[in-house]
Amino acid sequence: MSIRRTKIREALDKDGDGAEMTLMGWVRNIRPQKNRTFIHLNDGSTIQHAQVVADPSLDNYEAVLRMGVGSSVAVQGRWVESAGRGQKSELIADRIVIVGEADAEKYPLQPKRHSFEFLREIAHLRTRTNTFGAVFRIRGALARATHDFFGDRGFVYVHSPILTGSDCEGAGEMFQVTTMDLAAVPKTPAGQVDFGRDFFGKQAGLTVSGQLEAELMALGLGDVYTFGPTFRAENSNTARHLSEFWMVEPEMAFCDLEDDIDLAEDYLRALVSDVLHHHEDDLAFLEKNVSKGLVAELERCVDRRFARVSYQDVLRIMESSGRRFEFPVTWGMDLQTEHERFLCEEHFKGPVVVYNYPKESKAFYMRVNDDDKTVAAMDVLLPRVGEIIGGSQREERYDVLERRMAEFGLSQDDYRWYLDTRRFGTVPHAGFGLGFGRAVQYATGMANIRDAVPFPRAPRNLEF
C-alpha cells in the first residue's frame, strides 16, 4: 500500500471537482444495480461513509460483486459531485483492489442493529460499527484534550509506577504480582508466605492509584499530573466498575481544597467543550441512537457553574426530600448511586461537588478540618454516571499525618518516604483522580462502562 491514501474525513471536506484520489477502508454496504454498483466505504476517520460508484467496465467487476460486507478495499478514482441524494460527493472508481475479503455468511457485523452485549463478545470487531467508532474517536479526543488542558497550565506530565508495594490505603483491593512458583510457594517457619524470596523481596501488587507518587513529584515540581492504568481486584460486576481502568490524577503544591475544586470543574468543562466543538457528527449519531438529550446535557455542563454543597447539607437535602432511599441517609455513610443520581438529576439538575466528608469514612492522607469531624475532601458527581472525580487537600502537617496513620494502623517505616515530604519543607497541596472511562461514558451517553473502553477487564472477563 505505497499509494498515498486520502482519509474519508478529508475527502468529505473537499468539493467534488474531479480530483484523483485513493480511498481505503472497509465495506459497510454494497448495492448492485443494473448498470452500476454502489459501495459504502468507511475507514474509521469519521462516522460518515464515502459512496463509491463502480461500473461493469472495471476489470474485476464480477469479483467486486461477490465480495462481502466487511471486506477491505483500496479504490482509485475521481471525486465528483453526486447526482443522488444522501451525499454531496462520491468517488467514481477507476480501479478497485480487494485487499482482504470477508466471508459474507460468517461475518458477524451485518448491516443491522446489534445489541451492546453481543458486541462486547466481538470487541475485536466492534470498532467497525457506527456506535463504537464514535465512542472511541471521542475517547481519543478526551485523552488529547487532557494533555492539552494540563500542558497549557504548565503541569508536568509524570509517569507513576504500575508495580507498587503501597496500596494507597483505602483505594481498593490489589492484584498481587509474583514470580514465585504457585505450586510450591515458599513459607516462613511460621507458615506464612515468604515474600522475602519473591522478585522484589517484599509483597508487590498492581497499583490502585498513582496519587502518592504524584504527591512526591508535586512537592518539588509544583504542578504535575499522571495519566495511566490502575487496577482494582474487587468482585464488582456493575455498569460503573472495571478491574482495569485509566485514571487522570493531578497534584498541585501550594493549593487548597477550593483550588482543587476549581481545577476539577475547569478540567471537566474543557473536556466536554472539546468534544462539543470537534465531534458534532459523532455526538449527533449517539444522541439519536444511544442517549436522547445528550448534547443538551453536555452543553449545560459547559455553560453552568457546578453546584457546591457540603456533605452535611447533602444529608439535610435528602432527609427533607421525602424520598425513601434504599440506603438510609445517616451521618458517615458513603453516597450510593441512588443518592448521587438524586442530587444530580432531580435536585440540582446538573453536576454537583460534594465536600467536607466525615473523617472516619476517608483515607489517612486527607487534611483534617478544624472541626476535627470532617476532612477537606470532595467528589464531583455527574448526571447518569455519578461520581467521576474524587479528591482532597492532602494532610501537610507532620504531627496530624502521623496521628492519622496510627489511627489506620499503618507502619511509619513503610511510609517513611511519604512522611519525609512533611518533614522537609512541607506545603499545603491538593489533587484529585478522574476515572477516564466514566468521562467517556458521560461524553458519549453509554450506559455501561464496559462500552467505554476498547477491551474491558472485569471479574471472569479477560478476553482479547
Side-chain angles (χ1 to χ4, degrees):
M1 297 285 101
S2 58
I3 300 172
R4 183 191 180 279
R5 74 182 177 104
T6 300
K7 291 188 176 181
I8 289 175
R9 182 189 69 245
E10 299 169 2
L12 294 174
D13 286 339
K14 299 177 183 292
D15 293 328
D17 58 3
E20 296 280 343
M21 68 174 59
T22 298
L23 301 182
M24 300 178 187
W26 293 270
V27 175
R28 288 287 183 87
N29 197 10
I30 182 166
R31 294 186 291 115
Q33 300 198 351
K34 185 175 181 180
N35 297 318
R36 54 189 171 179
T37 293
F38 295 100
I39 301 168
H40 288 172
L41 196 66
N42 187 277
D43 65 0
S45 64
T46 173
I47 201 165
Q48 306 295 332
H49 66 258
Q51 179 162 283
V52 174
V53 182
D55 66 54
S57 65
L58 292 173
D59 293 341
N60 62 340
Y61 187 70
E62 293 301 319
V64 169
L65 292 179
R66 291 193 301 270
M67 70 180 180
V69 171
S71 297
S72 56
V73 297
V75 185
Q76 293 175 310
R78 292 165 289 113
W79 190 246
V80 302
E81 289 187 14
S82 177
R85 292 179 299 176
Q87 61 283 320
K88 184 177 70 172
S89 304
E90 60 192 11
L91 190 69
I92 305 299
D94 296 324
R95 181 171 180 246
I96 297 179
V97 177
I98 302 174
V99 179
E101 288 197 63
D103 188 320
E105 294 184 359
K106 295 181 179 180
Y107 185 61
L109 292 174
Q110 295 300 315
K112 65 177 183 178
R113 185 178 293 273
H114 297 285
S115 72
F116 292 155
E117 291 79 5
F118 169 73
L119 292 174
R120 282 177 217 137
E121 296 174 3
I122 56 167
H124 56 301
L125 295 173
R126 65 177 177 170
T127 51
R128 298 190 194 180
T129 66
N130 286 330
T131 298
F132 286 96
V135 168
F136 295 128
R137 277 189 294 273
I138 288 175
R139 184 182 175 99
L142 292 172
R144 185 199 65 245
T146 291
H147 290 299
D148 289 345
F149 176 85
F150 289 110
D152 289 346
R153 284 158 179 75
F155 280 66
V156 178
Y157 178 35
V158 300
H159 297 144
S160 55
I162 292 174
L163 293 169
T164 180
S166 165
D167 68 355
C168 194
E169 184 68 24
E173 297 295 326
M174 296 177 69
F175 285 101
Q176 299 301 308
V177 175
T178 182
T179 59
M180 293 190 289
D181 182 357
L182 298 184
V185 177
K187 299 291 183 67
T188 67
Q192 302 297 315
V193 175
D194 187 358
F195 288 106
R197 296 172 63 183
D198 205 351
F199 186 89
F200 292 106
K202 62 187 295 186
Q203 191 170 2
L206 297 179
T207 186
V208 296
S209 170
Q211 177 204 313
L212 298 187
E213 291 83 4
E215 279 190 64
L216 308 183
M217 300 294 284
L219 295 175
L221 292 174
D223 295 337
V224 305
Y225 73 104
T226 74
F227 186 1
T230 55
F231 308 85
R232 305 282 168 90
E234 297 167 345
N235 189 19
S236 176
N237 283 286
T238 75
R240 303 173 61 203
H241 295 93
L242 290 170
S243 301
E244 176 189 328
F245 58 99
W246 283 57
M247 291 272 285
V248 178
E249 298 179 283
E251 287 288 332
M252 299 153 285
F254 307 100
C255 176
D256 62 17
L257 182 64
E258 185 175 356
D259 299 323
D260 202 28
I261 295 173
D262 288 342
L263 184 79
E265 184 172 341
D266 289 346
Y267 171 47
L268 280 173
R269 190 174 284 112
L271 289 185
V272 174
S273 179
D274 185 90
V275 172
L276 284 169
H277 284 96
H278 296 110
H279 285 269
E280 297 93 337
D281 288 349
D282 288 327
L283 287 176
F285 175 86
L286 292 168
E287 165 138 19
K288 180 179 179 181
N289 296 278
V290 175
S291 181
K292 307 299 181 186
L294 173 63
V295 173
E297 182 180 296
L298 297 180
E299 289 173 342
R300 285 194 297 272
C301 177
V302 172
D303 295 338
R304 288 168 37 180
R305 299 293 297 175
F306 293 7
R308 300 187 183 189
V309 58
S310 71
Y311 175 88
Q312 186 167 0
D313 286 340
V314 161
L315 297 190
R316 293 196 188 104
I317 289 169
M318 292 192 294
E319 287 170 343
S320 62
S321 69
R323 171 72 64 87
R324 290 180 61 85
F325 293 100
E326 179 182 353
F327 293 89
V329 177
T330 58
W331 176 265
M333 69 170 191
D334 290 330
L335 295 183
Q336 303 296 321
T337 301
E338 61 171 341
H339 305 137
E340 295 170 350
R341 297 195 65 168
F342 166 76
L343 292 169
C344 292
E345 297 170 15
E346 297 184 42
H347 188 81
F348 290 105
K349 300 186 186 304
V352 181
V353 181
V354 180
Y355 60 90
N356 287 352
Y357 282 84
K359 71 175 185 179
E360 291 80 9
S361 64
K362 291 297 182 179
F364 75 95
Y365 51 75
M366 296 185 177
R367 193 182 201 278
V368 178
N369 289 323
D370 292 342
D371 61 12
D372 202 34
K373 291 174 53 182
T374 62
V375 290
M378 64 90 173
D379 289 334
V380 181
L381 315 178
L382 293 181
R384 290 187 290 104
V385 302
E387 181 195 340
I388 189 170
I389 283 176
S392 71
Q393 183 173 342
R394 316 310 189 187
E395 184 56 78
E396 87 281 8
R397 297 165 295 186
Y398 181 89
D399 57 335
V400 180
L401 181 59
E402 190 177 42
R403 184 175 73 247
R404 289 286 283 165
M405 291 176 66
E407 291 173 0
F408 277 77
L410 300 179
S411 165
Q412 290 191 26
D413 287 340
D414 291 342
Y415 290 87
R416 65 188 182 283
W417 41 270
Y418 195 68
L419 286 165
D420 274 355
T421 59
R422 276 64 171 178
R423 294 173 60 210
F424 306 129
T426 188
V427 300
H429 60 288
F432 62 78
L434 170 133
F436 193 66
R438 292 186 184 179
V440 178
Q441 274 190 278
Y442 182 67
T444 61
M446 301 303 285
N448 195 313
I449 198 167
R450 299 184 192 199
D451 298 323
V453 300
F455 304 103
R457 301 299 188 231
R460 316 300 295 179
N461 186 347
L462 193 63
E463 299 296 324
F464 313 107

